[in-house]
Amino acid sequence: MFDRLQSVTRHFPKYWLACIPLIALVIGVWDLAATAADPQGIEIPDEITDPAYVQGVLNTVWILVASVLVIFMNAGFGMLETGFCRQKNAVNILSKNLIVFALATVAYWAIGFSLMYGAGNGNGFIGFGGWFLSSSDPASYGLDPFPAGLPISVSFLFQVAFAATAATIVSGAVAERIKYSSFLLFSLLLTAVSYPISGHWVWGGGWLGNVFGGFHDFAGSTVVHSVGGWAALMGAAILGPRIGKYEDGEPRAIPGHNMSIATLGCLILWIGWFGFNPGSELAATSNIAYIAVTTNLAAAAGGVTGTFTSWFKDGKPDLSMSINGILAGLVGITAGCDAMPYWAAVLTGAIAGIIVVFSVAFFDSIQIDDPVGATSVHLVNGIWGTLAVGIFDGGTNIMAQIVGILSIGGFTVLMSTIFWYAIGAVTGGIRVTPEEEMEGLDIGEHGMEAYHGFLKESEMGATASAVTGNVAGGSELI
C-alpha cells in the first residue's frame, strides 16, 4: 500500500504535496462555519441577529478608531511645534505636547466631562453631575442607552481627545518663553473648567442650540479651535514677544530648526482630522465618507492657496505657509463639514489658506509673537469656518453663528485672562528669566538637550571642513 502511494506521489511536485494538509484544514474550517451558520447546529444569541445591536457595535468601534486618530494628533502638534521652533527648546515643546494629553485626561475625567455633558442638575449654561465618570446611567451624560446611544466609556474617550486639542493649541503660541509649570496649570484649568462650560452651550444641550434656530458647529471650528486660539492669543499677549523678535518695532524672523518634522507633523494632523471630523458624526453612517471628502478638499485647497499667496506676497513659496494653509483649511471646514456641498468646502478651504498668510503678518505687525501661527490657524480660521456655515449652508442662520462666535470668544477671553494672571500670581510670573530664555528652555526647565552632542559635533565637523577648504584655497585664517 505504501509502495503504491509512493509510486503515485512520485509524479507530483513536492510543493503540490505540501498543499494537501492546507486543503484539509480549509475543508475543516468550511464545514465548521457551515455548522455554525445552521440554526439547528450552534444556537446564535438573539442580539447578534438584531440590526440595532449590530449598528450599535459598529458605532462603538468606529468612534473608538476615531478617538485614536484624534489622540494621535498630539504627535502631529508636537512635531509641528518643535520643527517651527529653535532646537534649544525642543525638549520643552515635546514635553508640553506629551504631558498635556495626560493632564487633560485626568482633569476632564474628574470634572470636565460632567461640566460639559452632565445632565443631572445641569442647565443651559453648565452641566452638572456624574463626576469622575461615577454614573453608569447613560442619561447622566445626555446619552441614550446602548445600542441606540454610545457607551459612556467611548463617548468620554472621544470627547477628552477634543478637550486636549484645545489645550495643545495654546502650547504653540506661548512657546520658547513660558514656564513649564505655568503651562501645566493653565492646561488643567482650560480642560477642566473653561472649555467644558462653553462646549456645553453647543454640544451639551446648552443655550446656543436654540438661539436664532441653532448655532451650527459640527466638529468644533469654534468650540475647539477658536477656544484654543483665544486662550493662546491671551497667553501670547500677556507673555510678550521672545527676546530679539522685534527690533526697532519691526519683526525679525526666528526660523525653526527642523522643517522636516514640521512637515511630518502637518501630515499627521491631516490624517488625524479624518477622525476629528467624520468621528463627530458619532455613528458609523454613510455620511462619514462625505465628511471625509469635504475635509480633504478644504485641506487641499487651503494648502494650494496658502502656498501661492505667500509666493505672490513674498516672492518665494514658503513651506511654513503651505503647512499653515493646509491646517487653516482643515480648521475652516470643521464647523460645516457635514452640511456643505463640495464646491463650498473647496471655497472655504481656499479662503482659509489666503487668510492665514495675511493673518500671520497682521499679528506680527501688532507685536503678538506666535512662533507657530496658532492664533492665525485656529482662532482666525475657526471664526471664518463658523461664519462660512452661515454663508454656504442655507439651513443655518448666520446671526446664530455670530452670536456663538462672540459669546464663546468673550467667555474664553475672560476666563483665560483670569487664569493667566492668577497663575502668574501663584508662580511668581508665567515667563522664564531672560537668562533661561537665551540659554534655552531645555536646559533651564528640564536640564537636558534634545540633540545632545549631535548638533555640536555636526557643527564642529562643518567648521573643520570649512577651515580645511579655506587653507587649501589659500584663504587667510583670522
Side-chain angles (χ1 to χ4, degrees), residues 215-275:
F215 176 70
H216 187 103
D217 188 2
F218 181 74
S221 287
T222 286
V223 175
V224 178
H225 295 283
S226 284
V227 164
W230 283 117
L233 176 63
M234 297 315 298
I238 293 169
L239 272 171
R242 291 167 291 175
I243 296 172
K245 174 61 180 176
Y246 299 100
E247 294 180 354
D248 299 324
E250 293 297 318
R252 185 176 71 89
I254 302 180
H257 83 285
N258 194 325
M259 292 305 293
S260 298
I261 63 172
T263 304
L264 175 62
C266 174
L267 289 169
I268 291 173
L269 288 169
W270 194 341
I271 292 170
W273 235 284
F274 291 113

Side-chain angles (χ1 to χ4, degrees), residues 136-391:
S136 59
D137 181 5
S140 300
Y141 307 104
L143 297 168
D144 293 326
F146 183 85
L150 292 171
I152 296 172
S153 54
V154 77
S155 178
F156 167 78
L157 191 64
F158 187 69
Q159 296 302 333
V160 76
F162 276 51
T165 298
T168 305
I169 291 167
V170 180
S171 175
V174 299
E176 302 201 289
R177 74 267 199 206
I178 193 170
K179 288 181 180 178
Y180 187 67
S181 59
S182 298
F183 176 74
L184 299 191
L185 288 171
F186 184 83
S187 298
L188 277 171
L189 292 170
L190 182 69
T191 54
V193 181
S194 180
Y195 166 80
I197 292 175
S198 59
H200 175 78
W201 300 351
V202 182
W203 293 340
W207 67 275
L208 277 175
N210 299 315
V211 65
F212 290 109
F215 176 70
H216 187 103
D217 188 2
F218 181 74
S221 287
T222 286
V223 175
V224 178
H225 295 283
S226 284
V227 164
W230 283 117
L233 176 63
M234 297 315 298
I238 293 169
L239 272 171
R242 291 167 291 175
I243 296 172
K245 174 61 180 176
Y246 299 100
E247 294 180 354
D248 299 324
E250 293 297 318
R252 185 176 71 89
I254 302 180
H257 83 285
N258 194 325
M259 292 305 293
S260 298
I261 63 172
T263 304
L264 175 62
C266 174
L267 289 169
I268 291 173
L269 288 169
W270 194 341
I271 292 170
W273 235 284
F274 291 113
F276 204 98
N277 284 3
S280 294
E281 179 78 353
L282 301 180
T285 71
S286 60
N287 202 39
I288 61 176
Y290 182 87
I291 295 169
V293 173
T294 57
T295 298
N296 199 56
L297 286 172
V304 170
T305 56
T307 300
F308 281 94
T309 300
S310 69
W311 197 344
F312 294 147
K313 177 177 174 290
D314 302 319
K316 297 287 184 180
D318 186 338
L319 174 57
S320 68
M321 288 304 170
S322 299
I323 291 171
N324 278 340
I326 290 168
L327 299 179
L330 289 165
V331 171
I333 195 59
T334 294
C337 56
D338 65 318
M340 286 190 187
Y342 291 145
W343 64 266
V346 172
L347 192 54
T348 298
I351 293 173
I354 296 170
I355 289 173
V356 75
V357 176
F358 291 100
S359 178
V360 168
F362 168 75
F363 282 116
D364 259 347
S365 71
I366 61 173
Q367 299 195 9
I368 297 293
D369 183 15
D370 180 351
V372 305
T375 48
S376 297
V377 169
H378 298 279
L379 170 57
V380 176
N381 280 289
I383 293 172
W384 156 241
T386 307
L387 289 173
V389 181
I391 297 171

Side-chain angles (χ1 to χ4, degrees), residues 47-89:
E47 61 265 22
I48 295 179
T49 61
D50 181 5
Y53 180 86
V54 174
Q55 183 63 51
V57 172
L58 289 174
N59 294 342
T60 302
V61 171
W62 162 237
I63 300 306
L64 180 60
V65 171
S67 300
V68 173
L69 285 171
V70 179
I71 291 168
F72 190 56
M73 290 173 71
N74 285 279
F77 281 115
M79 295 296 97
L80 180 75
E81 185 183 339
T82 303
F84 274 177
C85 294
R86 291 167 289 185
Q87 62 94 10
K88 65 181 181 179
N89 299 310

